[in-house]
Amino acid sequence: MKIRKGQIKDTRVILNILNNTPELQGIGKESGFYTKDFVEGSIKDRKMNLVLVAEDKGKIIGVLISEIWKNKKYSFFGDLVVLSNYRSKGIGTKL
């Protein structure tokens, strides 16, 4: 398993994971809440965002999207998702 920064080429897979994770759906949000623009914007804006992906044998199995506020000296996790088959293995902690 490898952790790396998300890249534009990962957009489709990240979007699929976010929009198909039941735990992220139904909290006042319609399914498909996350958009291509949101994911690409998060990846491109490295001054304000950190996007990490966990890969296992070339397959993206987890994603972290966080905002970084350097001037205020804090950050917060927007989304942290690990595919259900890979949970309870410490992947979320590593992300």
Side-chain angles (χ1 to χ4, degrees):
M1 199 257 321
K2 173 175 125 177
I3 305 289
R4 63 171 176 80
K5 288 185 179 180
Q7 302 171 6
I8 293 298
K9 69 177 184 164
D10 303 322
T11 299
R12 184 184 53 80
V13 176
I14 292 171
L15 191 58
N16 187 44
I17 290 171
L18 293 172
N19 282 328
N20 289 295
T21 299
E23 293 87 350
L24 296 178
Q25 308 305 317
I27 315 171
K29 302 175 184 175
E30 296 178 19
S31 182
F33 172 77
Y34 297 92
T35 65
K36 179 181 176 188
D37 288 340
F38 168 75
V39 174
E40 286 184 351
S42 297
I43 292 169
K44 287 178 182 177
D45 186 1
R46 293 183 184 245
K47 287 185 181 181
M48 289 289 295
N49 297 293
L50 175 64
V51 178
L52 297 175
V53 296
E55 282 186 326
D56 184 47
K57 299 175 185 165
K59 176 183 177 181
I60 295 176
I61 58 170
V63 62
L64 166 74
I65 299 176
S66 64
E67 290 188 33
I68 301 168
W69 294 80
K70 290 181 182 176
N71 293 339
K72 307 232 183 219
K73 298 183 182 176
Y74 70 87
S75 64
F76 65 91
F77 296 140
D79 298 288
L80 173 61
V81 181
V82 176
L83 295 178
S84 58
N85 301 7
Y86 295 88
R87 292 181 185 167
S88 299
K89 298 179 181 185
I91 296 167
T93 300
K94 289 177 182 172
L95 281 167

